[in-house]
Amino acid sequence: MSDEGMRLNHVPTDPGRGGTSSGPPRGPYLASTPAEKKKAAKSIEETIEPGTRRAGDLADEATGAAVKEFGPKDEHGWLTSGALKTAHDTWGDQIQALMNRLGGEKQSLRSANTVLGGTDVQVGANSRRVPSPLDGY
């Protein structure tokens, strides 16, 4: 990301078009078609979740080695060992929360079309229960 993208005190030179009719958005946008939602869910499942798990596993190995190295030897050790362990436990909780969030987002993407389509059908069915003055024509 450029320095310009990190600044909060000005408007970016190219903020993107969003959802304008002059073409597809150039910046982040909401996946709105069934195909885009399916692709996004697949990306979460096949790329983001495994990458997040691998990053967490690497942190487990490296931090475990550091905790052991700084740990007590002959009743002497560094306070760093305990602090690293505490930080790593917090990191693990955050990784688990992220994995849960990713799973929820993936499920939401996959079920959104069903929910919205089912709502459309239900509204249509309910609206047909009320007789319309046009039914006689």
Side-chain angles (χ1 to χ4, degrees):
M1 181 177 273
S2 71
D3 288 337
E4 181 178 294
M6 295 297 290
R7 294 177 60 192
L8 300 175
N9 62 350
H10 78 286
V11 176
T13 56
D14 183 12
R17 289 193 305 261
T20 65
S21 60
S22 59
R26 291 183 288 173
Y29 64 98
L30 180 64
S32 60
T33 68
E36 288 173 326
K37 289 175 188 169
K38 185 176 180 179
K39 184 177 177 182
K42 183 177 179 184
S43 178
I44 289 171
E45 184 170 61
E46 295 179 359
T47 305
I48 299 171
E49 286 178 325
T52 303
R53 273 190 214 96
R54 280 192 301 275
D57 291 345
L58 286 172
D60 286 345
E61 294 168 15
T63 305
V67 167
K68 184 177 179 182
E69 188 63 32
F70 286 116
K73 296 175 183 85
D74 299 330
E75 298 185 28
H76 298 293
W78 292 67
L79 293 175
T80 304
S81 178
L84 279 173
K85 173 118 178 59
T86 300
H88 183 258
D89 290 345
T90 301
W91 167 258
D93 293 344
Q94 291 172 344
I95 288 290
Q96 187 58 51
L98 177 58
M99 293 300 295
N100 292 342
R101 175 79 184 262
L102 288 169
E105 296 295 335
K106 178 177 61 177
Q107 182 60 37
S108 294
L109 284 164
R110 289 186 170 148
S111 65
N113 291 328
T114 304
V115 169
L116 295 175
T119 301
D120 288 347
V121 169
Q122 185 179 10
V123 167
N126 288 342
S127 68
R128 294 307 305 155
R129 286 188 200 164
V130 177
S132 168
L134 301 175
D135 287 340
Y137 292 99

